[in-house]
C-alpha cells in the first residue's frame, strides 16, 4: 500500500519542490502546504461545475468521436478544473502579505495545481486495482506535468495582474490560457483511446505536446526566478526587509 501511495504522490511533490527551490526568497512552507491542500479541495469544487454541465448535456462520460472527446475535455475537465483552481488561488492569496514578488505567483499556483493533481492521481491509482503501476507511471509522465504546466501559466498571469507590467486582457488570460492548454491536452489523450487506428500517431503528438509544455514551463520558471534575483540588491539581507512589495 505504501508503495502505491508513494507512486501516486511523489511526482507532484517532486515538481513542487523544483519550482520552490528556484525561489530566491522562499515562501513560508506553511503557506505552500496550505496551497497544496487548497488544490486538493479544488478537485471537489470542480465537480460542482462539471456535474451540472454533464446533466445539461454539454458532454458525455464515454466519448466515441473526436468532437465528443473535445467536449468532455473542455466542459468536463478544463473549464471546471481551471476555474476551481483559480478560485482557490484567489482565496489563498487575497489577504496574504506573503504574496509580495512576481515569482510567488508561480509558487502558489503550482502548489494548488499539484495539490489538485496529487489527489486526482491518488484516486485514479487506488481505483485501478492490479493495474496501479501502469496507471501511476502514465499519470506521472502525462497528467501531473500537465497540471503543473497549466498552473505555471495561471501563476504567471496572476502575478502580472497583481504587480502590473501586463495588459487588461491578463484578467482573461489568467483563466483562458490554462483552459485552452488543458482542453487541447485532454482532447489528445481521449482521442488516442477512441481512434485505435490513429492511437499511435496521436500518442506521439501528445508526447511532443507534453514535452513542449514542460520545456516552456521550465523556461518561464527560470526567467521569473532570474527576474526576482535581479530585482534584489547585490548584498540583500532578508532580515532587513521591511516587508513592502517588490517592484518587479
Amino acid at each position: 500500500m505504501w508503495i502505491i501511495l508513494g507512486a501516486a504522490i511523489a511526482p507532484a511533490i517532486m515538481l513542487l519542490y523544483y519550482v520552490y527551490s528556484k525561489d530566491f526568497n522562499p515562501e513560508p512552507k506553511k503557506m505552500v502546504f496550505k496551497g497544496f491542500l487548497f488544490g486538493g479541495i479544488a478537485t471537489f469544487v470542480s465537480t460542482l461545475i462539471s456535474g451540472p454541465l454533464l446533466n445539461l448535456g454539454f458532454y458525455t462520460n464515454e466519448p466515441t468521436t473526436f468532437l465528443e472527446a473535445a467536449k468532455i475535455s473542455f466542459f468536463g475537465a478544463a473549464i471546471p478544473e481551471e476555474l476551481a483552481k483559480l478560485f482557490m488561488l484567489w482565496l489563498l492569496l487575497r489577504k496574504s502579505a506573503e504574496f509580495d514578488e512576481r515569482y510567488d505567483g508561480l509558487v502558489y499556483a503550482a502548489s494548488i495545481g499539484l495539490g489538485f493533481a496529487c489527489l486526482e492521481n491518488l484516486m485514479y491509482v487506488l481505483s485501478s486495482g492490479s493495474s496501479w503501476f501502469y496507471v501511476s507511471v502514465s499519470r506521472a509522465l502525462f497528467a501531473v506535468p500537465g497540471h503543473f504546466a497549466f498552473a505555471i501559466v495561471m501563476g504567471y498571469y496572476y502575478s502580472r495582474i497583481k504587480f502590473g507590467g501586463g495588459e487588461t486582457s491578463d484578467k482573461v488570460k489568467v483563466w483562458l490560457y490554462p483552459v485552452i492548454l488543458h482542453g487541447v491536452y485532454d482532447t489528445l489523450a481521449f482521442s488516442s483511446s477512441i481512434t485505435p487506428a490513429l492511437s499511435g500517431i496521436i500518442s506521439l503528438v501528445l508526447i511532443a505536446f507534453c514535452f513542449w509544455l514542460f520545456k516552456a514551463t521550465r523556461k518561464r520558471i527560470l526567467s521569473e526566478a532570474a527576474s526576482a534575483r535581479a530585482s534584489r540588491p547585490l548584498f540583500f539581507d532578508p532580515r532587513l526587509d521591511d516587508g513592502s512589495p517588490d517592484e518587479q
Side-chain angles (χ1 to χ4, degrees), residues 24-25 232-242:
F24 183 69
N25 187 30
R232 295 280 180 172
L234 183 60
F235 299 106
F236 172 75
D237 185 347
R239 293 172 297 179
L240 301 179
D241 188 12
D242 61 2

Side-chain angles (χ1 to χ4, degrees), residues 14-24 26 103 107 225 229:
M14 290 172 63
L15 286 175
L16 182 56
Y17 176 76
Y18 173 74
V19 68
Y20 183 82
S21 69
K22 300 301 179 183
D23 194 352
F24 183 69
Y103 190 78
V107 174
R229 290 187 179 90

Side-chain angles (χ1 to χ4, degrees), residues 12 16 35-41 43 110-120:
L16 182 56
F36 196 79
L37 292 179
F38 273 30
I41 296 172
T43 60
S111 70
I112 289 175
L114 290 170
F116 186 103
C118 184
L119 184 57
E120 185 183 62

Side-chain angles (χ1 to χ4, degrees), residues 38 45 82-92 154:
F38 273 30
V45 175
E82 298 307 325
L83 187 59
K85 292 177 196 174
L86 183 58
F87 172 70
M88 298 309 291
L89 181 61
W90 171 80
L91 200 62
L92 177 69
M154 181 178 290

Side-chain angles (χ1 to χ4, degrees), residues 8-236:
I9 297 171
I13 299 298
M14 290 172 63
L15 286 175
L16 182 56
Y17 176 76
Y18 173 74
V19 68
Y20 183 82
S21 69
K22 300 301 179 183
D23 194 352
F24 183 69
N25 187 30
E27 298 308 293
K29 293 182 177 64
K30 183 178 179 180
M31 272 291 290
V32 177
F33 180 68
K34 185 178 179 181
F36 196 79
L37 292 179
F38 273 30
I41 296 172
T43 60
F44 301 105
V45 175
S46 68
T47 62
L48 300 178
I49 305 170
S50 62
L53 290 178
L54 174 62
N55 293 332
L56 290 171
F58 279 85
Y59 69 95
T60 174
N61 277 327
E62 298 181 358
T64 57
T65 66
F66 181 82
L67 179 58
E68 289 180 349
K71 285 182 177 180
I72 189 176
S73 297
F74 281 91
F75 293 108
I79 292 174
E81 290 179 10
E82 298 307 325
L83 187 59
K85 292 177 196 174
L86 183 58
F87 172 70
M88 298 309 291
L89 181 61
W90 171 80
L91 200 62
L92 177 69
L93 299 179
R94 63 193 179 99
K95 294 183 179 180
S96 175
E98 303 297 341
F99 184 29
D100 56 1
E101 295 179 315
R102 285 177 62 109
Y103 190 78
D104 297 349
L106 276 67
V107 174
Y108 290 122
S111 70
I112 289 175
L114 290 170
F116 186 103
C118 184
L119 184 57
E120 185 183 62
N121 211 25
L122 193 59
M123 291 188 292
Y124 270 100
V125 172
L126 290 177
S127 64
S128 62
S130 59
S131 302
W132 69 267
F133 182 75
Y134 169 77
V135 173
S136 63
V137 170
S138 62
R139 290 191 62 82
L141 292 175
F142 296 105
V144 177
H147 282 290
F148 178 58
F150 313 147
I152 294 301
V153 173
M154 181 178 290
Y156 170 69
Y157 284 104
Y158 201 88
S159 286
R160 280 168 63 101
I161 294 170
K162 167 76 172 180
F163 298 105
E167 305 170 353
T168 303
S169 60
D170 287 340
K171 293 182 179 181
V172 176
K173 294 175 183 177
V174 70
W175 175 72
L176 181 61
Y177 283 5
V179 165
I180 293 174
L181 290 173
H182 193 159
V184 171
Y185 193 89
D186 279 10
T187 298
L188 289 172
F190 278 115
S191 297
S192 65
S193 63
I194 63 177
T195 54
L198 298 176
S199 62
I201 296 175
I202 295 175
S203 296
L204 290 176
V205 173
L206 179 60
I207 292 173
F209 186 53
C210 183
F211 178 78
W212 174 80
L213 273 179
F214 185 78
K215 184 178 180 180
T217 300
R218 182 175 182 276
K219 182 179 179 181
R220 175 54 57 194
I221 289 171
L222 296 179
S223 174
E224 290 294 299
S227 176
R229 290 187 179 90
S231 70
R232 295 280 180 172
L234 183 60
F235 299 106
F236 172 75

